[in-house]
Each structure stands twice: as structure tokens, then as C-alpha cells.
Amino acid sequence: MTKPPFAEIYHRQTKYHPATIERGHHIDWNNPPEQFKDYPGAPRIELRPYLPTNESEDWGAMQRLQDTDGPFSLPQLSKLLFATNGVTAMAISGGQKMFFRAAPSAGALYPTDLYLVVRGHADLSDGVYYYHVRDHALIEVYPEGLGPDGDELFRRLAAACFDDKGVAGARVAIVATSVFWRSSWRYGDRAYRRCLLDTGHVLGNFDIIAPKLGLCTFAVGGFVDQEVAELIATPEDKEGVLGVFPLFELGDFERVEPGPSARASSDVEPTPKDDAILSIHDASAIRRNTADSATGPQSSSEDFMLNPKYAFASGTKLKTSELNLNEQIELAILRRRSTRTLSGEPITLTELSDLLGFAYRADLRLPPEQQPRYFDTTLLETFVVVNNVEGLEPGVYYFAPSFMELLSVRPGSVQHEIFHLSLGQELARDASAVIVHTGDLDAATKKFGSRAYRYLHLDAGHIGQRLNVGAIRLELGVSGIGGFFDDEVNALLKIPAQELCVYITCLGKPAS
Ligand SMILES: Cc1cc2nc3c(=O)[nH]c(=O)nc-3n(C[C@H](O)[C@H](O)[C@H](O)COP(=O)(O)O)c2cc1C
């Protein structure tokens, strides 16, 4: 019998079970992780001076700024990074400042970091820059004069991405990473899942905000991990590269020839490590000189149309309203917080429809260059647990985005079960609807090897972020849930063992 891909082993090992959850993971409270990296003495470019000070006025004027300054200008990059992953709130706890970011993060631990690779810029020298979130500054990663020049940087980045022509032709690219320890400090081995989901949320912001600033991007999930990590000078045993995103002006979209958004991992047996996270990251890596397995074109929200699990004609048809959630959505990103208590009151079927439409469907009012870019959404499926939605019977439904239809798979309230399987979190009990993102791990790993595990979680986090900001735009409450009893979710949804629950998003009315 052939060995299963390591992703399956990791997934099995990191399941939560009612009988063992209490044993949990030991948290070393005296040794909390740093949320920011330091580059002592490195040149810095402060981005704060370019940040709008008046929320509604200045952020609303993005289009105007784009005309005058150009989409790659420092004011635009400042806004892009801030609305993607910047500090949007602060609290003091135990005398310590806590910084909350534009994207949510499990346990507010913020493992996601962003790097900018730049060449030929009017105000930035060629180089690699670390985005320091707290300081809202760019820090040069290579000591002055010691890094490769801009053309060499992009030559190497494109080579690492299998000569992706989009990357080769870009002048600015974002590289997203995760510093695993920030999350594993608290969540132990299961943290890799949350790291990926967290980064997916950040990418959700990025995809929403970029077109508002006159920019477009492509997702590149297939790259030689080691080569990109070396290029941005990150230590591979602490920080993993999760995606590369070349940036272009919206008008250049037609001219760019992007490669596939996802490729399979090499699935070389990981060198035995006593760290499950490094093992899964290693097993899902792509190495140089292993088979190059390009699979399909760029993935976008239109792909959701391809994957209805059940062919059916008798579901509840969802009708969206005339409301355009994309309008002023950037303001929802800036004011977004995870709702801590939901009231249990109902949301309407129209609110649910508008949200699902915004999160899962291509917005036909927008041109292709403004559509979200995913790794491979055909891997994901969606169920909706209805606790209290006006106009919809409680129960479990399968959601088919292509038809905007809900198919009842289990009638009757399951409020008690969803509360229990979310580790007894009241958010799930008091939600009006709970969105459950699932995937067929077997089918996904057949396509992409263990790297599918990354794509599944990154894309689910991305969609989760669209649900988050869409809900805030509708003045609803919302929160992700990353901790759940895995096998109990399968039982509730009546899905087979090779399918996995990737993520849960709770929606409802915030308690006042
Ligand atoms: C992947 C993920 C998992 C999360 N899981 C939970 C959870 O299980 N329970 C919960 O109350 N909040 C959860 N949250 C919400 C975080 O606690 C919240 O994002 C964090 O405290 C930061 O606050 P903010 O979202 O208001 O900025 C999760 C968020 C993410 C992105």
C-alpha cells in the first residue's frame, strides 16, 4: 500500500477530539512570541506620513489620488499595506499595548508578514522590503548596496515561480509569509492550519483593496519555496513563504501573461523533525529539480461555478438585493472587528444571500481584472448551518454558488450540535447562520499533493475575509472559528471521512 500524502497524516494528527482536547498544548506564558521583526540599523521608509488622517473623506478619495499620484506611489502603497494588514485598533492589557490589524487572526497572534520586492520605483531603491506593521514602515531587508539589483531580484523571483511571465514582467511584487511560532506558541501543532487561514484573511483584504487603488494582481502559489525564502532572506525553519503576488496597473491586465495559480508539491518525504509544523510545511514544499506539475490557469471566483457537489433543481433559490456591497467596502475593512457576542436574533434571507453572493460569486458589474484571485477554489465546498434566519427553516444546507441555491441536507435545528462541536463557543450557538468551509482532502491531494492543504486553507481564509467585511458592511456581526471537533463536523454535515472541515465563520446580529 502506498503511503498517504503527509498532509493527511498532519491533518489526522491535529484533529481535536472531545476526549483529548483537555490535555491540550502547554502555553509558555513567560515566553510570548514577538509580533514584529527587527532589522537593527536597516534603512526605513516611513509610510505613516502618507496615510489619510480622516477616514471617510480621504479613503473615499482613493480614485482621485490614483489619478494624480499613480498606483505605485508611496501614498498608494501606504494605503494598500495599511488596509491589507495594518494596525486598525489598539488596546492596553496588563500595561502592554496590543495592536489589532485590518485582518483578523486566531488568538490575535498575527503570524502573517508581508514583503515588497521593488525595482525601478521613483521613491524606493531596488530591493526587498519588510512591511513593519506596528510602525507602518518599510524596512530594507538587505544591508544597503549588498542586495541584488532590481532586475536580478525579479529574474530570481520569476525563476523560483517556474519562469512565471507575470512575475518576470512586474515592477512590484508582494510576498506573503507566516512566522509559525507566533501562532504555535498558543495552538501547538494545529497552528499551521490557523497560520494559513490567517494569511488567507490578509489576502482577502489585499484583493479587495488593490483594485480600489488602481492595481491588480495574480496569485502564484507554485514556487520553489527555498528560493523565494532565500530571496527575501527569511529563515526557512521559522517562517514559511505562502504566496507571491505580482502587482500591475489595472490597465496592464490584458498584457500580462500569468502562469497557473497553483502547482503540486514535490511531496518529498519530510526529514524527520519533532516539529509537526515544519514537517507539513516541508512536505508541502516545491523543490527544484522535481517534476514540474503545472495545473490549470489562474483561479478566480468564476471557478466556484464548476463545483456543485450535488446536481439539483429543487433547492431554495437565493435572491440578492440591489445593494452593491463592493461600494465603500474599504471603509468596512478599516472598521472591521470580530464580534465577540452575538445576540441570537435572526438575520434576513436577503442579508444571507447578499453576503454569500459577495463572498462566493464573481461580481459581474466588475471587469475581470477586479475579480478576486484564488489558488484553486474548485477544491472548496460550503455548507450553511441555519440557526435563525428569517424565511429559512433551521437545519443544515449545502450551498451551490453557481446556482445561488441552498439544498437542505438535514432539516431541523442543530444549534446544540454546532455549539458543542465548536468547542462550546457561544458564538456558534448564537449565530443566525454558520458557514462551514469543507474540502475533499483525498481529491485535493491527488491534484496538488500535500500543497493542496495550503491552498484549501488559504482560499477558505480568503473567502472568510470576504464574509467578514461583507458582514461589517451590512452592519452584521461576524467571527471566524478555527477550533472545532473535526470528526463531529463530518457527522453533522453527513460528509465522508476523506472530506475535512477547513474553517467555520459565524454570522449574526451583534449583541448590543
Ligand atoms: C483563523 C481564525 C480563527 C479564529 N478562531 C476564533 C475562535 O475560535 N473563537 C473566537 O472567539 N474568535 C476566533 N477568531 C477571531 C480572533 O479572535 C480575532 O480575529 C482576534 O482576536 C483579533 O481581533 P479582531 O478580529 O477584532 O481584529 C478567529 C480568527 C481567525 C482569523
Side-chain angles (χ1 to χ4, degrees):
M1 214 174 87
T2 52
K3 255 185 141 175
F6 189 78
E8 280 180 31
I9 299 170
Y10 170 81
H11 186 71
R12 216 175 321 119
Q13 281 172 350
T14 56
K15 283 184 179 178
Y16 285 153
H17 297 282
T20 52
I21 184 102
E22 288 301 328
R23 280 183 231 148
H25 154 78
H26 168 74
I27 302 175
D28 183 357
W29 293 103
N30 295 320
N31 185 24
E34 287 290 341
Q35 284 187 348
F36 313 100
K37 286 171 72 173
D38 270 330
Y39 292 84
R44 296 162 70 93
I45 291 86
E46 303 295 337
L47 293 177
R48 221 184 280 271
Y50 303 105
L51 216 51
T53 44
N54 174 326
E55 189 188 276
S56 53
E57 240 177 61
D58 291 344
W59 285 87
M62 277 179 176
Q63 294 300 333
R64 189 168 49 75
L65 279 172
Q66 168 195 327
D67 293 343
T68 53
D69 295 355
F72 289 113
S73 65
L74 286 181
Q76 297 300 86
L77 289 179
S78 171
K79 279 184 278 181
L80 177 76
L81 290 166
F82 186 82
T84 300
N85 206 26
V87 173
T88 52
M90 202 188 75
I92 309 268
S93 165
Q96 298 273 10
K97 282 185 186 163
M98 290 177 64
F99 301 97
F100 293 90
R101 303 190 186 184
S105 160
L109 293 162
Y110 304 110
T112 306
D113 272 339
L114 300 177
Y115 296 78
L116 226 58
V117 187
V118 178
R119 68 169 154 183
H121 192 277
D123 301 305
L124 296 169
S125 20
D126 289 5
V128 177
Y129 294 84
Y130 169 70
Y131 174 51
H132 195 295
V133 173
R134 185 197 57 210
D135 298 354
H136 194 51
L138 290 174
I139 303 182
E140 271 193 61
V141 162
Y142 289 107
E144 228 167 344
L146 288 184
D149 70 28
D151 288 341
E152 174 64 5
L153 276 174
F154 274 86
R155 193 198 61 71
R156 280 174 54 189
L157 188 61
C161 299
F162 296 90
D163 297 320
D164 185 291
K165 287 196 185 130
V167 175
R171 287 192 295 126
V172 178
I174 299 251
V175 177
T177 71
S178 183
V179 181
F180 307 130
W181 159 245
R182 290 188 196 147
S183 187
S184 65
W185 169 75
R186 170 155 175 194
Y187 295 114
D189 291 347
R190 190 168 160 125
Y192 193 68
R193 304 191 193 191
R194 289 177 169 98
C195 287
L196 297 169
L197 292 167
D198 279 2
T199 300
H201 276 272
V202 172
L203 298 179
N205 278 347
F206 175 61
D207 248 20
I208 289 172
I209 208 73
K212 303 269 177 185
L213 296 166
L215 292 164
C216 62
T217 188
F218 297 102
V220 183
F223 46 83
V224 181
D225 292 65
Q226 190 189 355
E227 292 176 11
V228 182
E230 277 171 11
L231 192 78
I232 60 166
T234 57
E236 265 205 289
D237 59 342
K238 293 195 174 61
E239 183 169 355
V241 177
L242 297 178
V244 176
F245 305 88
L247 273 168
F248 303 93
E249 296 190 19
L250 282 174
D252 284 343
F253 181 82
E254 293 291 343
R255 271 186 277 136
V256 181
E257 288 179 65
S261 47
R263 287 171 192 266
S265 44
S266 309
D267 269 66
V268 172
E269 181 85 5
T271 8
K273 298 182 182 69
D274 54 7
D275 184 320
I277 292 182
L278 292 184
S279 298
I280 175 67
H281 193 66
D282 198 23
S284 58
I286 297 177
R287 299 172 195 225
R288 182 60 72 193
N289 298 328
T290 51
D292 165 14
S293 45
T295 36
Q298 275 279 320
S299 176
S300 83
S301 34
E302 282 140 63
D303 296 341
F304 283 122
M305 314 274 176
L306 303 174
N307 195 29
K309 185 186 186 88
Y310 305 102
F312 56 94
S314 58
T316 305
K317 199 91 189 147
L318 297 177
K319 275 211 357 232
T320 54
S321 73
E322 290 296 303
L323 194 66
N324 182 356
L325 288 192
N326 191 49
E327 229 165 60
Q328 305 233 314
I329 193 79
E330 61 277 10
L331 299 182
I333 293 182
L334 299 176
R335 18 172 242 278
R336 181 212 61 81
R337 296 268 70 86
S338 298
T339 309
R340 299 296 73 195
T341 317
L342 293 167
S343 70
E345 292 164 305
I347 60 171
T348 64
L349 185 53
T350 307
E351 286 169 327
L352 180 64
S353 308
D354 281 350
L355 257 178
L356 292 174
F358 174 70
Y360 287 90
R361 282 180 64 95
D363 183 344
L364 299 177
R365 286 168 294 215
L366 297 174
E369 61 270 30
Q370 298 195 33
Q371 303 296 341
R373 318 304 312 185
Y374 298 99
F375 294 105
D376 188 340
T377 47
T378 65
L379 304 178
L380 282 170
E381 312 255 18
T382 303
F383 290 81
V384 182
V385 173
V386 172
N387 285 339
N388 196 2
V389 175
E390 265 170 32
L392 205 53
E393 287 302 314
V396 181
Y397 295 81
Y398 175 80
F399 172 54
S402 38
F403 306 114
M404 278 299 278
E405 243 174 334
L406 291 175
L407 176 75
S408 170
V409 290
R410 187 167 168 172
S413 172
V414 293
Q415 201 168 15
H416 180 74
E417 288 96 320
I418 194 81
F419 170 57
H420 169 72
L421 66 78
S422 312
L423 315 184
Q425 297 197 61
E426 285 158 6
L427 276 172
R429 184 196 61 198
D430 300 334
S432 316
V434 179
I435 313 297
V436 187
H437 314 263
T438 68
D440 183 332
L441 189 54
D442 205 25
T445 54
K446 282 203 173 81
K447 197 166 172 188
F448 293 121
S450 288
R451 207 168 181 88
Y453 205 72
R454 298 190 191 182
Y455 304 141
L456 277 165
H457 288 78
L458 287 162
D459 281 345
H462 188 150
I463 294 160
Q465 185 62 4
R466 291 184 75 79
L467 287 168
N468 264 257
V469 291
I472 299 297
R473 170 82 170 71
L474 286 171
E475 298 184 10
L476 298 175
V478 60
S479 176
I481 286 195
F484 40 82
F485 295 127
D486 299 77
D487 292 342
E488 298 198 9
V489 184
N490 285 50
L492 179 79
L493 307 179
K494 299 186 181 167
I495 55 176
Q498 82 270 14
E499 297 192 18
L500 78 163
C501 174
V502 186
Y503 191 29
I504 290 178
T505 308
C506 298
L507 303 170
K509 283 275 164 73
S512 54

